[in-house]
Amino acid sequence: MVKIKSIEYFRVLPRWLFVKVCDENDNHGWGESTLEGHTQAVEGCLDALIQRFRGFEADDIEHLWQCAYRLGFYRGGPVLMSALSGIDIALWDLKARRLHVPLHQLLGGAVRDKIRVYAWIGGDRPGDVENAAKARIKQGFNAVKMNATEDVDWLDSPRALETSVERLRVVKALGMDVGLDFHGRLHKPMAKQLAKALEPHAPLFIEEPLLSEHAEGIKQLSKLTTCPIALGERLYSRWDVKRFLEDTSVDILQPDISHCGGISEIRKIAAMAEAYDVALAPHCPLGPIALAACMQVAMCTPNFVIQEMSLGIHYNVEVGQYDICDYIHNRAVWDVKDGYVEGLKGIGLGIEVDEEEVRKVAVNAVAWLPKGFMGPDGSIREW
């Protein structure tokens, strides 16, 4: 058995936080602890975890996970779980690399050989999303996700929802499947109206139709619509997920592997979901390490259905240079053909991180700040 020698983290553009773990034999693995808009908080948590886990056995991934989660008395939440995620992913990568196997081989082996993916498109007008969707088709995608609405008040004019239906109709006319991200922006009076209006046009799913803290509202909404309901990016463990499964209010779980405790925990969430006939479609508008970890889980998870990719997402484009291909050497692993990416076949996570580039960018990278909306009366609206 070999002990953990070092744990480092790297803040990089556009808004990602990478983690590297090395053991005493100089084996290494990479993880991702990105928590958008809360980088400094996660870095502080990582500092604390690094002090605790330097010298732990690198192979004892579950024991480390249990120690991080249970021995601090206060459990869960986005900051702790994101910090833990990065270390957990890195330890799985390290172990698989040391054994010279793809990571999914340590999780039971492959149940598929390629992975269906979707990309993000922006635009508030039908013509904008049509052009964006055509560009995604040229890249090889046949499914996309877009915002359902702009910012909406607690109770707003029904006119605020009219363009949502038209944008969905326009993109579906191109032959694409379309997920609509409510983003938790809508409150119950508006979410009920929009779900009903969208239903005849058959979105692939509606995501976060209400904020996850409104579990009773989501349960009510699930009984009012046939649109598949997806959520999970703001659920940070199997205990957070449990109520939604018991309520039978969700059709597709979207845990974020960088927020929910890493590979160890997302596998348990997936198994719970399978027992309730709920699909898995991990949330991942993040970096290449998180995406590779999701892909490894997808390869060995029977109820996996589709994977989000941040290729060309507006958060990346705003920074300019950096996207999911820019911190790895084997960029072809993200090539999309007929809506699928080939299963990652390399050892570990299946990507080769460009450590020189990571360290260079980390020197001056600033933390990405959270965004938000204000209504015309000056009050806060959900982002």
Side-chain angles (χ1 to χ4, degrees):
M1 303 290 282
V2 183
K3 298 182 184 299
I4 294 171
K5 180 175 71 174
S6 64
I7 305 173
E8 302 174 271
Y9 58 82
F10 305 91
R11 183 194 302 179
V12 297
L13 299 174
R15 55 176 192 161
W16 304 330
L17 188 62
F18 296 165
V19 175
K20 183 184 181 185
V21 176
C22 292
D23 69 18
E24 292 178 334
N25 288 343
D26 292 326
N27 299 300
H28 74 275
W30 288 92
E32 185 166 342
S33 286
T34 302
L35 181 63
E36 312 92 286
H38 301 280
T39 300
Q40 298 99 321
V42 178
E43 289 172 343
C45 191
L46 279 167
D47 287 334
L49 293 179
I50 288 168
Q51 291 183 27
R52 292 172 61 185
F53 295 130
R54 190 183 296 115
F56 263 55
E57 296 290 345
D59 272 343
D60 293 345
I61 301 172
E62 182 64 26
H63 181 58
L64 184 147
W65 197 102
Q66 294 288 330
C67 288
Y69 187 83
R70 295 169 63 193
L71 291 184
F73 188 76
Y74 298 100
R75 300 178 179 184
V79 174
L80 171 62
M81 299 307 283
S82 295
L84 176 54
S85 295
I87 295 173
D88 180 86
I89 294 167
L91 287 172
W92 279 107
D93 184 37
L94 186 157
K95 191 169 194 172
R97 295 176 71 87
R98 180 172 59 79
L99 296 173
H100 298 282
V101 296
L103 198 155
H104 64 266
Q105 290 295 336
L106 303 184
L107 303 175
V111 298
R112 57 181 50 84
D113 53 22
K114 59 183 180 179
I115 298 159
R116 194 178 184 206
V117 293
Y118 69 86
W120 181 271
I121 59 172
D124 296 320
R125 291 180 294 274
D128 295 337
V129 295
E130 182 178 23
N131 291 333
K134 288 178 178 177
R136 291 303 195 184
I137 291 171
K138 290 181 179 179
Q139 291 176 318
F141 292 95
N142 58 26
V144 292
K145 184 170 75 177
M146 61 185 178
N147 277 328
T149 66
E150 299 181 74
D151 58 298
V152 176
D153 203 356
W154 217 291
L155 176 64
D156 215 319
S157 167
R159 291 191 300 273
L161 308 178
E162 289 175 355
T163 62
S164 302
V165 174
E166 181 61 15
R167 289 187 298 118
L168 173 61
R169 189 193 64 77
V170 164
V171 178
K172 286 205 66 176
L174 299 174
M176 302 198 86
D177 286 326
V178 186
L180 283 175
D181 191 353
F182 284 42
H183 217 249
R185 287 177 181 173
L186 279 71
H187 296 274
K188 192 161 58 172
M190 305 304 293
K192 291 192 294 185
Q193 294 180 64
L194 184 53
K196 183 176 181 179
L198 295 171
E199 193 170 286
H201 304 279
L204 187 63
F205 55 78
I206 57 174
E207 179 175 326
E208 280 197 318
L210 296 171
L211 290 168
S212 296
E213 53 256 43
H214 301 308
E216 69 291 333
I218 293 169
K219 182 178 181 179
Q220 180 190 34
L221 184 62
S222 71
K223 298 180 185 302
L224 300 176
T225 183
T226 60
C227 296
I229 293 177
L231 58 81
E233 66 191 84
R234 287 185 265 198
L235 303 175
Y236 310 113
S237 71
R238 75 199 93 149
W239 295 280
D240 290 348
V241 164
K242 183 167 60 172
R243 176 173 180 177
F244 295 93
L245 296 176
E246 292 175 344
D247 284 350
T248 65
S249 59
V250 62
D251 303 291
I252 305 152
L253 271 177
Q254 299 174 305
D256 189 306
I257 205 164
S258 284
H259 301 163
C260 75
I263 290 169
S264 297
E265 186 68 358
I266 202 171
R267 283 280 287 166
K268 294 166 185 171
I269 291 171
M272 288 174 63
E274 184 183 8
Y276 285 86
D277 197 27
V278 171
L280 186 80
H283 178 262
C284 193
L286 306 179
I289 299 173
L291 179 58
C294 287
M295 296 289 197
Q296 293 294 336
V297 171
M299 286 291 290
C300 58
T301 301
N303 53 325
F304 167 85
V305 287
I306 195 167
Q307 178 60 54
E308 180 174 22
M309 290 181 72
S310 71
L311 181 68
I313 197 171
H314 50 288
Y315 302 118
N316 302 351
V317 173
E318 287 168 0
V319 172
Q321 178 180 349
Y322 293 99
D323 211 319
I324 59 171
C325 294
D326 291 297
Y327 293 107
I328 62 173
H329 292 295
N330 51 337
R331 301 181 176 193
V333 296
W334 303 141
D335 289 349
V336 181
K337 182 179 180 182
D338 298 328
Y340 289 84
V341 168
E342 289 295 320
L344 302 180
K345 297 179 174 60
I347 63 171
L349 288 171
I351 58 172
E352 295 300 326
V353 174
D354 185 346
E355 184 170 346
E356 181 180 355
E357 185 68 13
V358 169
R359 291 185 180 276
K360 183 179 74 173
V361 174
V363 172
N364 296 311
V366 297
W368 184 83
L369 298 177
K371 300 186 178 185
F373 292 131
M374 305 293 287
D377 61 354
S379 64
I380 292 173
R381 293 185 174 184
E382 302 293 349
W383 176 61

